[in-house]
Amino acid sequence: MIDKRVASCAQALEGVFDGATVMIGGFGEAGSPIELIHALIDQGSTDLTVVNNNTGSGEVGLAALIQAGRVAKMICSYPRTTNSTVFPKLYHSGKTKLELVPQGTLAERIRAGGAGIPAFYTPTSVGTPLAEGKEHRTIDGREYVLEYGLRADFALIKGLQADRYGNVIYNKTARNFAPIMAMAGKVTVVQAAQVVDAGEMDPETVVTPGIFVNRVVHVANPAHESELVAKGLSYPPTEPS
Amino acid sequence: MIDKRVASCAQALEGVFDGATVMIGGFGEAGSPIELIHALIDQGSTDLTVVNNNTGSGEVGLAALIQAGRVAKMICSYPRTTNSTVFPKLYHSGKTKLELVPQGTLAERIRAGGAGIPAFYTPTSVGTPLAEGKEHRTIDGREYVLEYGLRADFALIKGLQADRYGNVIYNKTARNFAPIMAMAGKVTVVQAAQVVDAGEMDPETVVTPGIFVNRVVHVANPAHESELVAKGLSYPPTEPS
Amino acid sequence: MSAEQQNAEPQIGWTREQMAQRVAVDIADGSYVNLGIGIPELIARYVPEGREFIYHTENGLLGMGPSPAEGEGEPELINAGKRRVTALPGASYFHHADSFSMIRGGHLDLCVLGALQVANNGDLANWSTGGPEAIPAVGGAMDLVAGVKAIYVVTQHCTKTGEPKLVEHCTFPLTGLGIVNRIYTDLAVIEVTSEGFQLVELAPGVDFEYVKERTGAPLLSMSESPTNATRA
Amino acid sequence: MSAEQQNAEPQIGWTREQMAQRVAVDIADGSYVNLGIGIPELIARYVPEGREFIYHTENGLLGMGPSPAEGEGEPELINAGKRRVTALPGASYFHHADSFSMIRGGHLDLCVLGALQVANNGDLANWSTGGPEAIPAVGGAMDLVAGVKAIYVVTQHCTKTGEPKLVEHCTFPLTGLGIVNRIYTDLAVIEVTSEGFQLVELAPGVDFEYVKERTGAPLLSMSESPTNATRA
């Protein structure tokens, strides 16, 4: 019987290695798989290349992973957000590198990676510093740049509901990068607030078919980043002195 | 108020012109917008380039459009189906040309057209006659061919349910090419068996957001091609003598 | 014009709210619109009577509604500025690749953005001052200007230090080439034509010379309307 | 071998159903599988005890179930062969670009296809005889062989006129280059290795020489297993 459920976030992250490329879903806090990120901090692998639209906020979630010195490189479109104080420090110190990609190009590169498209042309960024050094091509009189598909060793995403086959549906704008990262991850891990029996989801409304998912872990009450930040929390939690 | 509903299939096809490129949804009969195709036969425009996975069956729907001599060129992946007797005649007589495209490349070209991607590389067809004359490129040691996005002047598709904003959901495997053709059509026309009030569809389950749709026509009881073919019907109906 | 002069001047021209309202007047009924962060966000408050606009937010929602009351809303229903929003009847959610297919594929009618600089050939700089200490962050701006049918800019006419933002050549890193159609400032509405900046309308109490002085490139008056007017 | 000889021969080797069943034995538990039209379709009937396979049909369904009873089913729930099927619990529907993203993106474990010819370097010809009167039709075959992790071919060992289908070089137009991993015929199971065709198993009552005679390229016997065995 196919059963992709695993018992814990720790188990869901088995095999993440030093130097791995890890896609992490979410746009800001919406869709951020914060429990998986904290488990990744516990897990210990380092020198990671992380793909996420942003760089986290406060000292929890993605920001905490960066703060822990585990991210060698961020591939993202908008590393400058309210309460994003960790990344600037590591960026300026040269500890964390940045590959800045326009948001739509980032999304399309991830989708291409998952879809077996090695490269594509796009009009986005033509004439700007982000197109410098990239191959250009004129098609039907308009100029485009060549961009390459992106894949990842692991993709960590957050769903609202999942089943043992790995089918996933999402909550509102928390969907954002998750379906395409699920496609692009060699090992895709979903944390879901609800884990339901096979057949409970309407086949018409499944957003991520199970073929794109390798592991499902039940996280019943996922934290919201903004609430943790508002409370001034950090991860790992500071020991009471 | 935004209201994309029109009163009839004839009205839904206003503006289709001689020489237009028309994408028609459907894989075999599943998702074939047969009432819109028949209205297109009535409408009279000719010298069309039609994009569909197949070439219809019997003497109704797409096959009837071809039989009426209105299709100068088919772009499709599988023009040879059971009961597909019309296309072979016109193809051999040279009246209808054929651009044969692998099914996945066809889908990706349509999606690219709708997504503003002018061209992409794909491994499909490398080493086969269908790659001949196409630009090749080696990326990370594997060979790919360059394929171009496809757009259409009109896209005719069939939905299960639509609203005045043009949001659409589909029925089972009738979904097939419709969502991507909706993206690629400059004017996208949807025939829907149910037309519901705005807000009746769950925003999580809308498959084609209304931005991709221009006109919605209510066709309450769409015919099934196989049933028409089994009855030996043709379109336009033969006058009783 | 020095910062001191700027500070000394009385408040004239349009307020931020009035600028937003003025933009809304020019949006056609039924338009699909993406609003940037800042003044553009205010536009959603001013839909003219009898029109319906559909707002797209690139993080994955079409049919975005107004912000909920302070403290209300949901952390997973947000806009591109990461602020909480609502979804109207007829809305839909989708993933980022689909969202940017809408943008890149030319399906949106209008995008209204802020600017650091706009050149009189339509070039836009709005994502980076290029400073060595700045963390570069581009978001969806380059995709929007490359794909949306019309690009309006809404911005203060000058910087806080009184430097013109409408210029002959952008000195900041570009967002896109030749893509701005119209500019709405606190002082005027200006069309970017094939002959450069063309005044369309002055804010109440503002005259042509006043705007011209504060514009870093030639400005055609309303009577100088070129035959080959609107870009794009 | 002439057509007369072929006709004169007694029925030996595996039937179509047995060939399908033999393939099923080699499919790992939990595999995502796409089945071509013809004999491959029969494989779905023979899931070995204790295993679960998930069938993908490229027209937009994952979790395809068995065919409904004759006259039952729905015209809009069909497989790639345009025959009516069912959907199992846990199934999902999706559009064609997503479906072929599964295929091209390497997400399917196995595709089982029919063949006109297979060459001993793994080349496959299965979509066209190249005749001037033939209507060329390719469907999803080229996408499947380019994207799916393993490609099995199931076919009669020889054509109806007794010509070998396993050859040194395909003479029919190719579907893909060097992509076939295994071949299941009525006579044998044959692996395509870096050294060519390698016998894996003989059908009951069939001997090596019998298969070798009917194979259009060198065939390594089971004892000749090369060190560098399996392709891909």
Side-chain angles (χ1 to χ4, degrees), chain C residues 33-56:
Chain C
V33 181
N34 183 294
L35 299 176
I37 299 170
I39 307 177
E41 282 181 277
L42 303 177
I43 294 169
R45 300 185 192 164
Y46 302 105
V47 179
E49 185 71 28
R51 294 189 213 169
E52 185 176 11
F53 306 152
I54 298 189
Y55 294 108
H56 170 266

Side-chain angles (χ1 to χ4, degrees), chain A residues 76-128:
Chain A
C76 74
S77 89
Y78 207 83
R80 199 174 61 202
T81 322
T82 323
N83 297 319
S84 175
T85 51
V86 165
F87 177 76
K89 265 181 286 178
L90 279 91
Y91 175 73
H92 286 307
S93 75
K95 278 198 176 161
T96 301
K97 292 194 169 46
L98 171 66
E99 179 179 342
L100 189 71
V101 183
Q103 197 171 330
T105 298
L106 182 63
E108 191 65 13
R109 288 180 62 192
I110 295 167
R111 190 252 172 210
I117 301 295
F120 58 89
Y121 292 95
T122 176
T124 299
S125 88
V126 168
T128 79

Side-chain angles (χ1 to χ4, degrees), chain A residues 10 35-45 65 70 235-237:
Chain A
E35 284 75 13
L36 283 173
I37 300 171
H38 289 170
L40 182 58
I41 293 174
D42 297 343
Q43 190 259 5
S45 50
L65 183 70
R70 310 275 281 283
Y235 196 90

Side-chain angles (χ1 to χ4, degrees), chain C residues 116-131:
Chain C
L116 294 166
Q117 292 174 324
V118 185
N120 63 354
N121 65 353
D123 288 0
L124 172 68
N126 83 338
W127 67 284
S128 170
T129 54

Side-chain angles (χ1 to χ4, degrees), chain B residues 49-141:
Chain B
T49 294
V50 171
V51 183
N52 180 276
N53 192 63
N54 309 104
T55 55
S57 70
E59 300 184 344
V60 294
L62 176 55
L65 183 70
I66 296 169
Q67 187 163 38
R70 309 274 280 284
V71 181
K73 181 180 173 185
M74 284 297 312
I75 300 180
C76 73
S77 89
Y78 207 84
R80 200 175 60 204
T81 323
T82 324
N83 297 318
S84 175
T85 51
V86 165
F87 177 75
K89 263 182 286 177
L90 277 91
Y91 175 73
H92 285 308
S93 74
K95 277 198 177 163
T96 302
K97 291 193 169 45
L98 171 66
E99 180 180 341
L100 189 72
V101 183
Q103 197 170 330
T105 298
L106 182 63
E108 192 66 12
R109 289 180 62 193
I110 294 167
R111 190 253 173 208
I117 300 296
F120 59 89
Y121 291 95
T122 176
T124 299
S125 88
V126 168
T128 79
L130 296 192
E132 277 168 24
K134 289 183 180 167
E135 187 175 321
H136 285 61
R137 183 185 188 113
T138 301
I139 300 172
D140 284 342

Side-chain angles (χ1 to χ4, degrees), chain B residues 2 4 114-115 165 167 183 203, chain C residues 32 52 90-91 93 101 104 107:
Chain B
I2 294 169
K4 299 180 179 176
Y165 289 111
N167 294 308
M183 292 169 64
Chain C
Y32 288 92
E52 185 176 11
Y93 299 107
S101 292
R104 203 191 307 100
H107 302 282

